[in-house]
Amino acid sequence: MTSPSIGTGPGRALLAVYGLFALAAGARATVQILTRFGEAPLAYSLSAFAALVYILLTVALARGARRLALVALFVELAGVLVIGTASVLDPAAFPEATVWSVYGKGYLFIPLVLPFVGLYWLLRRR
């Protein structure tokens, strides 16, 4: 079941931010993978995964696919927390930053805050 209301009003801002992050993370990962993949394959693959999650969230929010968006938000939150913690505890495992390294430090910690905002928005709109 879809709910067109999740991408309207303030939800449009959330949709725009996810669209921007999908574009930024996707472009970054593409360039890194095509030009320097051998330097940090784990980090660059994780950035590509983050980009895919952001694309999925953008599409789910735009189409009003609440369940898909919720699942993707939980995947995003888990990714930020797991990769963020791993990158703090073992920085040598991440010679290059990912979108979610150090909880999104390279993106002003927005990747850490964004899933909480998204979850609040979706759960509040039930």
Side-chain angles (χ1 to χ4, degrees):
M1 178 178 232
T2 62
S3 172
S5 64
I6 63 176
T8 61
R12 286 186 185 188
L14 188 63
L15 179 62
V17 171
Y18 271 113
L20 181 63
F21 266 72
L23 184 63
R28 174 184 179 172
T30 300
V31 169
Q32 290 171 328
I33 288 169
L34 291 176
T35 62
R36 309 184 322 230
F37 187 72
E39 294 175 19
L42 175 63
Y44 300 154
S45 296
L46 289 170
S47 285
F49 177 74
L52 292 175
V53 171
Y54 291 138
I55 291 167
L56 180 63
L57 273 161
T58 302
V59 171
L61 290 170
R63 293 187 176 200
R66 180 181 303 275
R67 284 189 184 152
L68 180 58
L70 281 170
V71 169
L73 283 165
F74 281 113
V75 169
E76 176 193 12
L77 180 58
V80 171
L81 295 176
V82 169
I83 301 308
T85 301
S87 65
V88 168
L89 295 177
D90 187 10
F94 298 90
E96 294 288 330
T98 74
V99 175
W100 294 336
S101 290
V102 191
Y103 309 105
K105 180 180 176 184
Y107 288 87
L108 305 174
F109 298 101
I110 294 170
L112 178 61
V113 175
L114 206 50
F116 289 107
V117 172
L119 287 168
Y120 172 77
W121 175 252
L122 286 180
L123 296 175
R124 179 182 141 287
R125 309 265 322 153
R126 276 190 166 189

